[in-house]
Amino acid sequence: MIATTVYFDGSCPLCAREIAFYQGCRGANSLLWVDVSALPDKAITAGLSRSEALARFHVRTPDGKFFSGGQGFAHLWYALPRLRPLGRLFLNRPLSYLLDLSYNLFLRFRPLMQQLARRQARTNHRPRCTDLALRKNHHEVLGRGSGR
């Protein structure tokens, strides 16, 4: 039997963080995880191009059907034992419709949110003011002066 396959954009910091969470869930090792951003620019699989997969989250269920957006997430959740009740809930209307609407709204703001996430990742690696003050105090305690 073919496993549920998850197609995601690993170059998106938001997507990568969320997928890492799901990959850490019990049962995740039974799913097939495909980072579309790491693949060449051609069809990922029959019925799904790389550009489609990068633009929108996709899941292929074991019966070969593709689901994208909110429905894709509902199928992903259903495939993970701990999240199965959530998946079951959102596979039913009207909640599946609301989940799709929410996902479509997210897509409008995704570029801005990616930019903010990348900026935050860069600033998290820079020394903060408190780090510099601690370093200064550390040097004074060691007798190396204030560094001025």
Side-chain angles (χ1 to χ4, degrees):
M1 184 166 159
I2 298 172
T4 295
T5 306
V6 179
Y7 300 92
F8 66 97
D9 180 1
S11 68
C12 165
L14 302 169
C15 307
R17 190 175 299 155
E18 185 171 9
I19 292 298
F21 167 78
Y22 294 130
Q23 289 174 327
C25 290
R26 185 172 52 89
N29 57 349
S30 66
L31 279 65
L32 187 61
W33 302 91
V34 179
D35 178 357
V36 178
S37 68
L39 299 176
D41 195 17
K42 51 180 144 177
I44 301 303
T45 187
L48 182 64
S49 71
R50 182 175 188 268
S51 60
E52 289 171 324
L54 287 172
R56 194 171 173 86
F57 179 75
H58 287 77
V59 169
R60 184 177 64 204
T61 56
D63 61 4
K65 293 180 183 174
F66 282 98
F67 296 91
S68 69
Q71 295 247 332
F73 278 101
H75 282 277
L76 168 60
W77 298 335
Y78 188 80
L80 297 169
R82 189 173 199 180
L83 299 175
R84 185 163 291 138
L86 189 62
R88 186 175 288 128
L89 183 68
F90 280 99
L91 285 172
N92 295 302
R93 293 179 191 221
L95 292 178
S96 64
Y97 178 73
L98 292 174
L99 187 59
D100 270 334
L101 281 176
S102 300
Y103 183 78
N104 291 336
L105 182 63
F106 158 77
L107 287 180
R108 290 179 183 231
F109 293 99
R110 180 181 172 196
L112 176 63
M113 293 171 71
Q114 287 175 318
Q115 189 177 40
L116 292 172
R118 286 186 181 105
R119 187 177 302 148
Q120 181 186 14
R122 283 193 304 268
T123 56
N124 282 345
H125 292 92
R126 294 182 186 156
R128 291 171 278 186
C129 292
T130 54
D131 295 338
L132 295 175
L134 288 173
R135 192 174 303 143
K136 178 182 172 191
N137 290 339
H138 177 73
H139 285 292
E140 288 174 357
V141 169
L142 292 175
R144 295 181 186 163
S146 65
R148 292 183 185 175

